[in-house]
Amino acid sequence: MEAIIKLENVNFYYDKGKPTEVHALKDVNLEIKAGEYISFFGPSGCGKSTLLYIIAGVERPDSGKVIVNGQDLMKFSSRELAIYRQIGIGIIFQNFNLIPSIKNFDNVTLPMAFLGISPKKREQRASEIMARLGVAELMDRYPFELSGGQQQRVSIARSLANNPPVILADEPIGNLDSVNANNVLDILKEFNQRDGKSIIMVTHEAWSLKDVNKIFYMRDGAITKIEEKGEKMAVKKVGAGYYHKNLFPELPVIEARAKVMASLILRGYSQEEIKRLEYFLSHYLRNQIDKETFRMVLDRPYKEGGVGLWKQRAKKIADYMENIIKEEKELEVLYKKLERDPETPLYEEVEKIQRWLLGDFTMKITPLQARRLNEIVMERIRNIILPEHFQKILNLPKDEGGVGLKIRTSLKITEKLETLLGREGGIEAITKTANA
Ligand code: ADP
Ligand code: MG
């Protein structure tokens, strides 16, 4: 399908030639097709809003092309540009941008008035769209009389007044609490899926990407990665089935799991010892032996049929397995809740997982670090971010939005979480040993 918006090698500077010059967009190339719901995603200051303004025709690139429906936006006459802005796109802002001195109804009809649509038609269309967004009864009030969530719905109504095929949303949920934020995301999803609107949403919050089809990751003015999402990415369980399907399709799940865990736990030990552990582990995972027996056979000399580990090591592994089985059960419960309601907050559950994750480490973390860790644990559980993103954010400095942990610690924590989630988590060692 033909792209409705296409950018070719777009560069943009603020204060070009001055000491304060900022190279805000660097060689940006992208294509957006009709009906797509895409996002520009990245940390604050990476150029998301600038990119949106370029697409909106508010800013002109210093070099490169912006092509709208096959035509060069730079070559539009001022009249064509005005029409594009009035009926080609609708914009939603983080701070709603409603005109405070006029009523909500007039805020919604204004874009139609600019187009010269008759008052009667304006009224009819504004009523319709406001009713659909659940703000019809707020028509005669002023923006300041409304909650943030209500203001955002009025502003969405305004952006849709002229029925544009494309909606541009700049951090539309940035000023909303989670209930209203979810409500706005549902509205965007509906206008995308039911009305076929193309949507470009700018965000720095990974969880808000749950409904988008395609993510343009941005950093320092450049697009660093493009990720396409399948039909449904709301709650994709990562769960233990992964081993089964991906690593050992021929084995039953528990067998596959025991194989992977054994080589992970006894990394560096001989194949014989790993095989033994695998054998007892599968019994323990099946509940055929209890923890004490499991500990004993780990400790028993190899010649006598055990794994032949030191006492301390045997105890550590038994404790570790006991914990992970417990966490897995909790994770099961958590996924059940998520399946029922993908937006369940799950603070307590995530808190527990976080405590377990940090259990082996002595370092103290600040409340800010704890909050970020909680956020990304949740995002990882919802499978919104990949193991490598999780690890990167753990390691990223605090002032760049990361958790600020040392690289070794962040690798270990990622590995621990992935063990629980049942994925190899990019640890080649597992696949290597497993295939040996
Ligand atoms: P984002 O929306 O991702 O937070 P922006 O597009 O707003 O990022 O900003 C990209 C870069 O351009 C940042 O370094 C920002 O400081 C700079 N910038 C944004 N607006 C202006 C402006 N009006 N004048 C100068 N620099 C700006
Ligand atoms: Mg911005």
Side-chain angles (χ1 to χ4, degrees):
M1 205 197 302
E2 183 62 23
I4 44 167
I5 291 165
K6 192 168 168 187
L7 269 60
E8 291 174 5
N9 296 313
V10 165
N11 281 276
F12 180 82
Y13 298 83
Y14 288 104
D15 298 342
K16 193 165 169 58
K18 296 191 195 140
T20 51
E21 178 178 294
V22 178
H23 193 174
L25 293 177
K26 298 171 186 164
D27 288 321
V28 171
N29 287 285
L30 60 82
E31 262 190 48
I32 297 158
K33 298 192 187 78
E36 278 188 318
Y37 181 2
I38 67 113
S39 179
F40 300 150
F41 173 63
S44 168
C46 71
K48 306 181 294 292
S49 297
T50 307
L51 187 50
L52 209 64
Y53 296 141
I54 292 274
I55 290 172
V58 177
E59 299 281 9
R60 286 174 73 90
D62 289 285
S63 67
K65 275 188 182 167
V66 181
I67 317 274
V68 176
N69 291 322
Q71 284 185 299
D72 190 339
L73 193 66
M74 298 310 112
K75 295 187 180 144
F76 278 25
S77 67
S78 55
R79 169 141 183 81
E80 281 172 327
L81 193 60
I83 288 177
Y84 167 64
R85 292 225 209 105
Q86 283 165 357
I87 56 175
I89 54 172
I91 310 186
I92 308 165
F93 303 89
Q94 175 170 359
N95 56 3
F96 326 128
N97 276 18
L98 296 168
I99 301 172
S101 57
I102 61 175
K103 289 180 177 167
N104 295 318
F105 182 76
D106 298 317
N107 266 288
V108 176
T109 54
L110 203 58
M112 295 185 266
F114 282 137
L115 275 189
I117 291 169
S118 77
K120 206 172 154 211
K121 260 237 166 90
R122 286 196 310 242
E123 206 164 300
Q124 187 196 338
R125 170 117 189 99
S127 306
E128 261 172 42
I129 191 87
M130 289 182 87
R132 179 157 170 199
L133 288 162
V135 288
E137 71 282 15
L138 303 171
M139 276 182 187
D140 292 326
R141 301 224 205 141
Y142 290 92
F144 63 83
E145 298 177 284
L146 272 48
S147 72
Q150 291 169 330
Q151 286 189 56
Q152 193 57 303
R153 278 182 281 150
V154 172
S155 99
I156 296 174
R158 174 191 56 188
S159 77
L160 290 162
N162 290 330
N163 201 16
V166 181
I167 302 173
L168 308 178
D170 193 359
E171 310 259 7
I173 57 162
N175 280 340
L176 302 176
D177 60 48
S178 72
V179 173
N180 281 302
N182 272 306
N183 178 256
V184 164
L185 291 176
D186 285 346
I187 292 169
L188 292 180
K189 181 165 85 178
E190 189 187 299
F191 277 100
N192 171 246
Q193 293 184 350
R194 232 175 77 187
D195 301 55
K197 304 275 182 208
S198 311
I199 299 179
I200 304 176
M201 178 186 59
V202 161
T203 185
H204 68 271
E205 292 171 85
W207 74 271
S208 66
L209 298 170
K210 61 194 174 85
D211 304 319
V212 310
N213 317 128
K214 204 189 252 181
I215 305 166
F216 292 83
Y217 290 84
M218 290 186 71
R219 197 147 201 121
D220 296 330
I223 289 172
T224 53
K225 191 174 102 173
I226 303 172
E227 191 182 359
E228 283 205 47
K229 291 282 171 193
E231 263 282 283
K232 187 165 173 281
M233 58 166 291
V235 187
K236 216 182 330 159
K237 183 169 156 178
V238 228
Y242 179 84
Y243 296 123
H244 182 47
K245 276 199 244 64
N246 295 280
L247 292 179
F248 306 102
E250 76 286 358
L251 288 183
V253 180
I254 289 187
E255 241 54 53
R257 180 143 180 70
K259 211 177 179 59
V260 174
M261 297 221 51
S263 47
L264 185 71
I265 292 170
L266 293 189
R267 194 180 301 157
Y269 283 66
S270 76
Q271 278 304 305
E272 287 76 40
E273 287 162 309
I274 293 175
K275 280 250 147 54
R276 279 272 166 89
L277 174 61
E278 189 184 312
Y279 174 78
F280 293 121
L281 204 51
S282 67
H283 282 71
Y284 185 37
L285 288 172
R286 280 213 184 79
N287 250 335
Q288 290 165 339
I289 55 174
D290 62 8
K291 185 193 169 190
E292 188 43 31
T293 315
F294 180 58
R295 191 195 58 74
M296 265 166 46
V297 293
L298 292 181
D299 187 25
R300 188 177 295 162
Y302 189 78
K303 276 187 281 181
E304 295 170 26
V307 187
L309 302 173
W310 295 103
K311 232 179 193 50
Q312 278 310 313
R313 182 108 179 102
K315 183 174 178 327
K316 244 185 142 168
I317 293 176
D319 286 346
Y320 178 78
M321 281 312 302
E322 185 185 30
N323 271 324
I324 208 158
I325 291 170
K326 207 172 82 212
E327 291 299 323
E328 269 179 346
K329 286 202 181 108
E330 299 211 353
L331 193 69
E332 248 343 281
V333 176
L334 186 152
Y335 273 122
K336 286 235 170 68
K337 284 192 193 172
L338 276 180
E339 269 158 22
R340 252 179 281 130
D341 173 14
E343 266 85 48
T344 330
L346 302 169
Y347 299 118
E348 265 171 53
E349 290 86 345
V350 175
E351 191 75 35
K352 269 195 215 149
I353 292 175
Q354 192 207 76
R355 270 202 298 277
W356 171 76
L357 273 180
L358 295 175
D360 314 332
F361 300 91
T362 48
M363 83 277 179
K364 286 228 165 10
I365 60 166
T366 66
L368 173 71
Q369 286 175 301
R371 203 173 66 228
R372 294 224 174 112
L373 181 55
N374 269 349
E375 266 169 33
I376 57 171
V377 166
M378 196 62 242
E379 284 166 3
R380 183 68 199 104
I381 287 173
R382 287 179 202 255
N383 209 13
I384 292 170
I385 54 173
L386 297 172
E388 50 266 38
H389 302 139
F390 181 80
Q391 191 259 315
K392 262 190 215 141
I393 302 171
L394 282 181
N395 181 228
L396 204 69
K398 277 179 265 180
D399 56 11
E400 287 179 40
V403 184
L405 299 179
K406 293 205 188 80
I407 181 90
R408 255 180 72 81
T409 315
S410 63
L411 279 167
K412 280 188 169 165
I413 291 180
T414 307
E415 193 173 286
K416 198 169 173 184
L417 180 62
E418 293 311 312
T419 314
L420 175 66
L421 295 179
R423 296 189 68 147
E424 103 273 43
I427 314 162
E428 307 108 338
I430 301 171
T431 10
K432 266 194 221 137
T433 345
N435 292 335

